[in-house]
Amino acid sequence: MKILKFVIAIIFAISFSKSFAQILTGATWQFTVEQKDDKEATLVLTATIKDKFHIYSQFLSSNDGPIPTIFEFTKNKNFELIGKGEEGQAEEINDEAFQMKLRIFEKTAVFKQKIKIISKENFTVGGKLTFMACDNRMCLPPEDVPFSFVIN
């Protein structure tokens, strides 16, 4: 009987921790492709940011503060990145916690990366992004989010 109670307690703890972990995310992501022709496409990564939270620009002035939003594309022979990634208009703030000026996004953030299409066949562009979300009381641990885009 003690073993059964112990097993039930473990199952409850695991299920509770998983449901709690799902609550503690600062943003959800959507991935779309804007493709004009068979030579070039734009990968669009859109964050929907929870109320009272913000995420950080990929272009921060210093490594002494929060983690910027980072995109890592898995290299393959079917495409090449064109230039640096672009992002929407970030708000510049004086952050008291980090004691520095930071560029942040609230509510939504749109990031874009242009690619040159090399392949004549359909392929997938994969990778991961890392972001950090904070509110006025705390910062959540950085999150890694895998992504993939189908290029036709």
Side-chain angles (χ1 to χ4, degrees):
M1 191 65 169
K2 286 183 181 182
I3 293 175
L4 180 61
K5 287 182 182 180
F6 179 73
V7 169
I8 291 172
I10 294 294
I11 291 171
F12 178 75
I14 290 170
S15 65
F16 179 75
S17 67
K18 284 187 178 183
S19 65
F20 187 68
Q22 289 175 352
I23 293 170
L24 288 180
T25 184
T28 56
W29 292 85
Q30 291 182 321
F31 310 106
T32 57
V33 177
E34 295 173 352
Q35 190 168 345
K36 297 177 187 172
D37 55 35
D38 62 352
K39 294 180 172 68
E40 186 175 302
T42 302
L43 311 177
V44 182
L45 305 98
T46 304
T48 301
I49 305 162
K50 287 191 173 181
D51 282 346
K52 300 181 184 175
F53 277 91
H54 56 266
I55 65 172
Y56 297 95
S57 167
Q58 57 188 323
F59 307 115
L60 297 181
S61 61
S62 169
N63 293 331
D64 297 334
I67 305 245
T69 301
I70 301 167
F71 303 97
E72 297 177 38
F73 295 90
T74 304
K75 293 182 180 183
N76 76 44
K77 60 184 167 114
N78 297 314
F79 76 96
E80 293 176 358
L81 299 178
I82 299 175
K84 291 183 178 182
E86 300 173 4
E87 61 185 32
Q89 185 65 36
E91 176 185 353
E92 190 167 306
I93 64 165
N94 286 313
D95 190 284
E96 292 179 24
F98 291 107
Q99 297 182 353
M100 60 191 300
K101 284 186 179 181
L102 295 171
R103 295 169 41 86
I104 66 165
F105 295 97
E106 295 177 322
K107 298 189 194 284
T108 61
V110 178
F111 301 90
K112 295 183 177 185
Q113 176 64 58
K114 289 184 181 179
I115 62 167
K116 176 182 176 183
I117 299 171
I118 298 169
S119 176
K120 297 293 181 196
E121 298 177 14
N122 295 351
F123 63 95
T124 301
V125 176
K128 74 171 184 166
L129 67 91
T130 303
F131 76 100
M132 185 172 165
C134 298
D135 67 8
N136 62 356
R137 298 174 303 141
M138 66 176 175
C139 289
L140 300 175
E143 284 186 60
D144 291 331
V145 178
F147 59 75
S148 67
F149 298 89
V150 176
I151 308 298
N152 297 314

